[in-house]
Amino acid sequence: MSEMLTAPFERRRGPDVRPRPAALPQRADVVVVGGGLIGLSVAWRLAEAGRSVVVIERGQVGAGASLAATGMLAPAAEHEPGSDHLLPLALESLNRWPGFRDSLQAASGLDIDYREDGTVVLAVGRDEVERLRFRYELQKRSGVAAEWLSGPQVRAREPLLRPNVTAGILCPLDAQVDPRLVMAALLRACEATGVTIVEERAVEGLDRRGGRVIGVRAGGQTVASDSVILAAGAWSGQAGLLPDGLALPVRPLKGQSLALRTTRRTGTLSGMVWTAEVHMAPKGDGGLIIGATVEDCGFTPGVTAGGVFALLEGARRILPGVEEMAIEAVWSGFRPTSDDDAPIIEETLPGLVVATGHHRNGYLLAPATADAVAALVTEGALPDFARGFTRARFETTGEGRAVA
């Protein structure tokens, strides 16, 4: 029985992030629906700006996608055909990360394991080199920092990789953080600035008057507010959170990931490594995160044998040392994915601001999203870098084709 209680499956890496118990207030300047990365980042920024803020989380803080993520800040490695519209926002947010990091670490007193060690995207065998070369040419045309590496150059950078690695792209400006440390720091920063965080309380609907949102209903109680921020991740488009006639093109994409424990004997990677099947991110505490499956299966929970096998086999294909690494944790989560894999940031109704749909780029886009929402609430308008991410881009022409 004791072995079952300590098994790593269905458990996320690291300790749970939990706020101090709190009751719902009757009123706040701002109500944030969703206690994940985006919700807490927005709440912290608005509290810094002098607003009273309450965060209402349907489950536990970070339990959606935020503590299931790898923590990649990788606009170059992520750049692919069809994502040209997202790239400027991604680069803007990456540029904001050092300031966001410094402020967050100062406010919380915690280090978030921010690492500017780049990403190497790999080709394994000759068949993958052509596809990798296509990605490299796209990056260069888009002005993304990228450097072509031969197989020997890749292995000189990462000597633990197998000899079958034939080429790579170094994305030197990509970075990463440790999600569990970021969430712990955000929680502490929010509480230090007076944010009230209430867990295990579902928002049942919006309170409206005269066409304006003036609060929310949760647990049979009404919380009045000047602004409501909908940052509920994959759940943002669910019935009850939005008034009739207002829909958000956001759905869950399940992802399974696992954490391995490296040792001096096994060694580890020096930075993030991507292949066509998996990405791997070494963390400062000796963990190695391997992720992530992409499963369009709705809110079907749980870890599957097929998912774990795919992750381990994809990692073993290039890093033989994984065979000797202990499995520390295995988990799943739900990415909030819009129809074009880019976020939705806008005031959808007077008093209601939406910040959702970040797909697999939540950590990368958190600083820009938080700053954009704070500007929208405090100044009444989105900054220029965020104005292309409203629902207007999903409008269709007479032929039924989406305008992006």
Side-chain angles (χ1 to χ4, degrees):
M1 179 64 73
S2 61
E3 291 181 358
M4 292 179 62
L5 292 175
T6 58
F9 294 94
E10 296 279 14
R11 189 180 74 203
R12 298 174 191 240
R13 175 174 173 264
D16 290 337
V17 176
R18 299 298 300 274
R20 290 187 291 268
L24 278 176
Q26 293 184 340
R27 174 174 175 77
D29 294 334
V30 180
V31 172
V32 178
V33 182
L37 168 72
I38 299 301
L40 292 189
S41 297
V42 169
W44 173 48
R45 285 304 202 205
L46 285 169
E48 282 191 317
R51 300 300 198 271
S52 60
V53 183
V54 58
V55 175
I56 306 176
E57 164 57 41
R58 63 188 299 276
Q60 295 182 0
V61 164
S66 302
L67 287 172
T70 306
M72 299 177 297
L73 317 177
E78 290 274 10
H79 188 46
E80 58 189 19
S83 65
D84 286 346
H85 66 298
L86 179 59
L87 183 60
L89 179 65
L91 294 174
E92 174 72 29
S93 200
L94 182 65
N95 289 335
R96 290 170 181 262
W97 249 106
F100 187 84
R101 171 204 62 200
D102 292 346
S103 296
L104 181 57
Q105 292 184 160
S108 65
L110 299 176
D111 185 275
I112 62 172
D113 195 20
Y114 178 91
R115 302 175 59 170
E116 295 177 310
D117 42 27
T119 305
V120 178
V121 185
L122 302 180
V124 182
R126 294 183 179 275
D127 292 343
E128 292 186 6
V129 173
E130 185 176 347
R131 291 196 295 271
L132 190 68
R133 180 70 71 174
F134 175 81
R135 178 187 285 261
Y136 175 69
E137 296 299 334
L138 173 66
Q139 292 171 326
K140 300 303 288 184
R141 289 195 303 271
S142 301
V144 172
E147 177 185 346
W148 184 263
L149 301 178
S150 66
Q153 287 174 318
V154 172
R155 290 190 295 276
R157 181 180 173 90
E158 297 288 358
L160 299 180
L161 296 178
R162 290 187 188 274
N164 62 347
V165 173
T166 48
I169 304 169
L170 171 62
C171 305
L173 301 184
D174 286 355
Q176 62 164 313
V177 293
D178 190 328
R180 62 180 184 147
L181 300 179
V182 172
M183 290 300 293
L186 278 171
L187 177 57
R188 185 172 292 183
C190 281
E191 293 186 329
T193 51
V195 175
T196 299
I197 301 174
V198 179
E199 292 184 305
E200 306 290 354
R201 190 73 64 92
V203 171
E204 298 147 358
L206 302 174
D207 197 14
R208 300 172 63 189
R209 181 184 302 159
R212 181 177 182 84
V213 175
I214 59 170
V216 301
R217 300 186 302 278
Q221 181 178 341
T222 297
V223 183
S225 67
D226 299 322
S227 300
V228 173
I229 315 298
L230 179 55
W235 289 265
S236 297
Q238 285 197 314
L241 293 179
L242 296 167
D244 294 339
L246 179 60
L248 291 176
V250 176
R251 73 188 193 282
L253 273 184
K254 181 180 174 179
Q256 299 182 53
S257 298
L258 59 87
L260 303 180
R261 174 55 49 185
T262 67
T263 65
R264 182 174 299 179
R265 175 187 174 90
T266 65
T268 190
L269 300 170
S270 65
M272 291 183 293
V273 168
W274 288 35
T275 72
E277 292 87 16
V278 296
H279 57 257
M280 295 185 284
K283 299 303 180 182
D285 65 350
L288 180 67
I289 308 301
I290 302 175
T293 65
V294 179
E295 304 167 51
D296 198 352
C297 59
F299 287 104
T300 303
V303 172
T304 65
V308 173
F309 176 82
L311 294 171
L312 290 174
E313 183 63 20
R316 179 180 173 276
R317 184 179 179 226
I318 61 164
L319 187 65
V322 300
E323 296 180 8
E324 299 183 27
M325 298 176 189
I327 296 178
E328 182 181 71
V330 183
W331 62 86
S332 64
F334 300 103
R335 305 174 185 89
T337 302
S338 73
D339 285 353
D340 64 356
D341 298 342
I344 302 170
I345 307 170
E346 68 169 320
E347 186 174 40
T348 57
L349 291 171
L352 176 64
V353 174
V354 170
T356 190
H358 292 75
H359 188 43
R360 61 189 183 193
N361 286 306
Y363 277 87
L364 171 60
L365 299 176
T369 300
D371 290 345
V373 172
L376 182 56
V377 171
T378 60
E379 301 171 18
L382 283 170
D384 290 342
F385 65 78
R387 288 181 180 171
F389 295 92
T390 68
R391 289 172 303 127
R393 71 185 190 272
F394 300 114
E395 293 177 358
T396 58
T397 65
E399 291 76 29
R401 291 180 288 108
V403 177

